[in-house]
Structure formats: C-alpha cells, structure tokens
Amino acid sequence: YDEYGKQLEIAYQILQLRKKKHISQAQLAKKIGTKQSNIARMESGQQNFTTDTLQKIAGIFGRELKIEFH
C-alpha cells in the first residue's frame, strides 16, 4: 500500500463502523471531543489520524486498535 491507500482503508473502516452502529458524524465527534467536520474529513481520507484519535474511535465501537509493522 502507498500511504494514501492505507489512509483510505482506515477511513472506510471508520465509516463502516459508524454506519453499523447508526451513529451520526456529529455524535461520533462529540464522543471523541472533536468537530463533525473533522469526522467528515477523516471518513473521506482527507485528514491524518493520530493513534490517540484512533484509540478513542476504537473504544467508542468496542474494538481493539491494532497497529502492526510487517
């Protein structure tokens, strides 16, 4: 993967998790302490993710964040 491709993959996963739980972008933003516009940029692959943000998102959806080097 190139860097952007991996970012899009993560963005898609966030979008899928959010839709599966029927949570709006605004609701997710409030839960992790950011703005709805930031969630929109994350889901479109136009914003970089910090591990802290990814950990918060994982926690909201009851998932474990796993980062690996291959």
Side-chain angles (χ1 to χ4, degrees), residues 39-63:
I39 300 297
R41 281 194 299 276
M42 285 180 204
E43 290 183 352
S44 66
Q46 298 176 1
Q47 182 163 317
N48 289 327
F49 311 102
T50 65
T51 54
D52 184 54
T53 298
L54 292 174
Q55 187 63 51
K56 287 178 185 177
I57 291 170
I60 295 297
F61 296 113
R63 300 293 181 102

Side-chain angles (χ1 to χ4, degrees), residues 7 14 21 26 31 34 37 39 51 67:
Q7 187 168 336
I14 294 169
K21 293 286 187 178
K31 288 176 186 267
T34 191
S37 58
I39 300 297
T51 54
I67 300 172

